Amino acid sequence: MSLDLRADPVDLTAALVDVFSVSGSEAELATLVREALEKQAPHLEVIRNGDAVLARTNLGRPSRVVLAGHLDTVPENGNLPSRREGTGADEILHGLGTVDMKSGDAVFLHLAATLSSPRHDITFVFYDNEEVEAVKNGLGRIERELPEWLAGDLAIVGEPSNGVIEAGCQGTMRVELRTTGKRAHTARAWMGENAIHALAEPMRRLAEYAPRVVDIDGLTYREGLQATKIGGGVAGNVVPDSAVLTVNFRFAPDRTPETAERHVREVFDGYELSVVDMSPGALPGLSAPAAAELVAAAGGHAAAKLGWTDVARFAALGMPAVNFGPGNPTLAHTKQENVRTAEIRQVTEVLRKFLS
Amino acid sequence: MSLDLRADPVDLTAALVDVFSVSGSEAELATLVREALEKQAPHLEVIRNGDAVLARTNLGRPSRVVLAGHLDTVPENGNLPSRREGTGADEILHGLGTVDMKSGDAVFLHLAATLSSPRHDITFVFYDNEEVEAVKNGLGRIERELPEWLAGDLAIVGEPSNGVIEAGCQGTMRVELRTTGKRAHTARAWMGENAIHALAEPMRRLAEYAPRVVDIDGLTYREGLQATKIGGGVAGNVVPDSAVLTVNFRFAPDRTPETAERHVREVFDGYELSVVDMSPGALPGLSAPAAAELVAAAGGHAAAKLGWTDVARFAALGMPAVNFGPGNPTLAHTKQENVRTAEIRQVTEVLRKFLS
């Protein structure tokens, strides 16, 4: 079997979907991608790192764009092999990875083989283990082992974004709020102090919290402060002496981790908080020249990215970085994963226009 | 080995403590109790039922008093064998069961052997498995198999009560309050509905709840409404769609199970509640003649029983029933379990006066 990179990127998406590549099992797909790039894109320097494949032009252009997509998928859920439905503008491609994110990979691979003289130098990064724990993430490994392969003036991560440029991403932190009390038998409750009752006030603040809606570079970010877990209790007849509320704060990228933490501590002033998890956001960076050109090629429209994606890794390297890929992100990780094939072609054309 | 029922009830308490009888292992102690009663209290009819021993006078008196005590203890906790400390009025007996409730058993056994012609007929019930699940409770088995052995005009359960007559007992019920919502990614929280946030209002009601203090037959009962457990949460980045708050209501015996449930449903009006556990309370019944005589013998003082004990089983049979035994109930089930020996003698004398 081999991949035809020069054919229709929709056909290429279907071919990629039909090569099983759940996280940890990307070897076969990585081999096929490397072979196809070596044969069909001889103008590129190609290397393999683990189950990632890296390729780049070395044309001496004044700027470099990095196109990054992960090769792995979440586990199969009765949604393989791929199948098509409908025709023309209504055609739909169904199957695991059609959205997250083999359609984005197909766009990048097609451009790799068909753009031999782009306006910017291009680095292609097809990596492994994005859908599992962050420590396994192939992009993190490349950052440690081959950092020069991630350098550039703009990063485009092909995660599904409905074919709209999504810029920046929100940060996320998790805190645990712990209340303490004093155990007693519930028949003599006045001798104790109920730690669950002590959560009533922080839960009131949480329920009444009005999240910010923030405008940055013309993009709108909606923050959120949400309880994700609550727990406490000793026995059916005991006043509990400990309870824990876990809260997830999704914050707009105008906050740093430090100011985000300060804000949460203000909201829950008077309570014992510990930060258990923190990932910074990424500013959209759309004023950088290459980013502004890309937005223009896409018709001038861009939106705020709300979730946390690998865009933030590039932002942390000081590069403007955006998500841009076919598919509706709310279908990612669902059994029903599917993409309009017209969207795959549209994203291909926007990127071709930007890079040509 | 044999038990000397006619000796000092403090010595008898120590002897009972030194026979290991954690719940399920009462056979040896039951055998010793039966042998001692048959030899040293020949005026009694004695039978064994499982690991319970029952004994009674058949004197044709116009009234009958039931004296009931359980033979089992909670597990050993480095507090065997018994040991004494101090002298005279300050003497303390330490050890597993000194409070809960081998001192009460010793008082009853001593009276069984030394009161051959009591003023009331007396039934003695020494039973097994009180400290474990209610389905194993020896008193429940006797009620099913030998109900005539529990009949009488007054029941005295020898549970620790600081040597004070404690009358009636509070009821207890547990309810689960469940909130539901709609899952969503926390990055798009406005697409979901947070079930933990929905607990804020019922928790406010709980924290602000003012429990009743009720006077019945001159006794004061303090009610309580306490969260004993809380739980909810799906994952660190998911708006949870379900949460559960477990609440324990301890209610004064002027409420029936039905009116208690209605009250809790009023407090949490608008929320989904399910009753997971219900034990009725017991009215003190101190106006019944035998009960009034007992209170007089004790110097006229009685207090409200707050916890739920087997007193409620007798109350459910329509009998006035009280707790009356040596020892501080807050030491029950602790490693430090100990009793002032003077209290054992005092309870013995009050009961001797009442029954002679």
Side-chain angles (χ1 to χ4, degrees), chain A residues 334-346:
Chain A
T334 71
K335 189 179 167 64
Q336 294 75 28
E337 200 171 340
N338 70 79
V339 64
R340 284 196 312 114
T341 59
E343 214 164 288
I344 300 175
R345 295 193 183 96
Q346 171 227 325

Side-chain angles (χ1 to χ4, degrees), chain B residues 6 28 36 40 63-64 70 85-86 88 96 98 109 117 127 191 205 222 240 264 269 271 284 301 344:
Chain B
R6 294 170 178 274
E28 180 189 358
Q40 299 167 48
S63 60
R64 176 174 291 277
H70 62 82
E85 187 181 49
L96 175 64
T98 49
L109 284 166
S117 183
Y127 64 103
M191 297 180 70
R205 297 186 197 173
R222 295 179 68 163
V264 174
D269 186 37
Y271 290 89
H301 180 61
I344 300 174

Side-chain angles (χ1 to χ4, degrees), chain B residues 2-42:
Chain B
S2 67
L3 301 170
D4 183 355
L5 306 187
R6 294 170 178 274
D8 180 3
V10 174
D11 294 338
L12 182 53
T13 301
L16 294 175
V17 167
D18 292 341
V19 180
F20 182 83
S21 65
V22 69
S23 308
S25 306
E26 303 92 335
E28 180 189 358
L29 183 55
T31 299
L32 288 171
V33 165
R34 182 185 186 172
E35 285 174 2
L37 286 171
E38 284 177 341
K39 284 185 195 150
Q40 299 167 48

Side-chain angles (χ1 to χ4, degrees), chain A residues 160-245:
Chain A
S161 67
N162 291 309
V164 172
I165 291 168
E166 291 186 337
C169 73
Q170 302 213 110
T172 176
M173 67 182 286
R174 266 199 297 274
V175 298
E176 286 180 356
L177 184 155
R178 189 174 300 271
T179 52
T180 53
K182 191 180 153 206
R183 285 193 198 186
H185 197 291
T186 50
R188 294 181 182 80
W190 63 91
M191 296 178 70
E193 201 182 326
N194 195 314
I196 295 178
H197 293 200
L199 283 180
E201 169 59 17
M203 286 182 65
R204 181 191 67 76
R205 296 186 197 172
L206 195 52
E208 293 178 0
Y209 182 80
R212 262 193 336 159
V213 177
V214 190
D215 195 281
I216 304 173
D217 283 3
L219 308 185
T220 303
Y221 293 88
R222 295 178 67 163
E223 296 190 328
L225 189 69
Q226 292 285 320
T228 56
K229 194 174 173 192
I230 194 165
V234 175
N237 59 358
V238 176
V239 175
D241 58 350
S242 172
V244 182
L245 177 67

Side-chain angles (χ1 to χ4, degrees), chain B residues 47 60 114 134 183 189-190 223 272 294 305 319 329 345 350:
Chain B
I47 66 168
T114 57
R183 285 193 199 185
W190 62 91
E223 296 189 329
E272 183 193 335
L294 173 63
K305 180 78 187 166
M319 293 163 67
R345 295 192 183 94
V350 168

Side-chain angles (χ1 to χ4, degrees), chain A residues 118-195:
Chain A
R119 197 152 57 89
H120 305 277
D121 267 310
I122 309 180
T123 304
F124 296 92
V125 180
F126 300 100
Y127 63 103
D128 55 292
N129 285 302
E130 191 271 346
E131 298 290 7
V132 287
E133 313 90 274
V135 292
K136 292 189 178 170
N137 189 301
L139 201 58
R141 186 185 66 244
I142 294 163
E143 188 181 339
R144 290 188 301 274
E145 299 178 5
L146 301 165
E148 73 282 10
W149 279 83
L150 301 187
D153 302 283
L154 172 66
I156 301 174
V157 178
E159 290 275 2
S161 67
N162 291 309
V164 172
I165 291 168
E166 291 186 337
C169 73
Q170 302 213 110
T172 176
M173 67 182 286
R174 266 199 297 274
V175 298
E176 286 180 356
L177 184 155
R178 189 174 300 271
T179 52
T180 53
K182 191 180 153 206
R183 285 193 198 186
H185 197 291
T186 50
R188 294 181 182 80
W190 63 91
M191 296 178 70
E193 201 182 326
N194 195 314

Side-chain angles (χ1 to χ4, degrees), chain A residues 166 170 172 174 185-191 193-194 196-200 203-204 206-207 222-240 243 245 248 250 305-308 329-330, chain B residues 166 170 172 174 185-191 193-194 196-200 203-204 206-207 222-240 243 245 248 250 305-308 329-330:
Chain A
E166 291 186 337
Q170 302 213 110
T172 176
R174 266 199 297 274
H185 197 291
T186 50
R188 294 181 182 80
W190 63 91
M191 296 178 70
E193 201 182 326
N194 195 314
I196 295 178
H197 293 200
L199 283 180
M203 286 182 65
R204 181 191 67 76
L206 195 52
R222 295 178 67 163
E223 296 190 328
L225 189 69
Q226 292 285 320
T228 56
K229 194 174 173 192
I230 194 165
V234 175
N237 59 358
V238 176
V239 175
L245 177 67
N248 183 206
R250 297 274 169 164
K305 181 77 187 165
L306 297 170
W308 197 93
T330 66
Chain B
E166 290 186 338
Q170 301 215 110
T172 176
R174 264 199 298 273
H185 196 289
T186 50
R188 294 180 182 80
W190 62 91
M191 297 180 70
E193 200 182 325
N194 194 315
I196 295 177
H197 293 201
L199 283 180
M203 286 183 66
R204 183 191 65 76
L206 194 52
R222 295 179 68 163
E223 296 189 329
L225 188 69
Q226 293 285 321
T228 56
K229 194 175 171 190
I230 194 165
V234 175
N237 60 357
V238 176
V239 175
L245 177 68
N248 183 205
R250 298 274 169 166
K305 180 78 187 166
L306 296 171
W308 197 93
T330 66

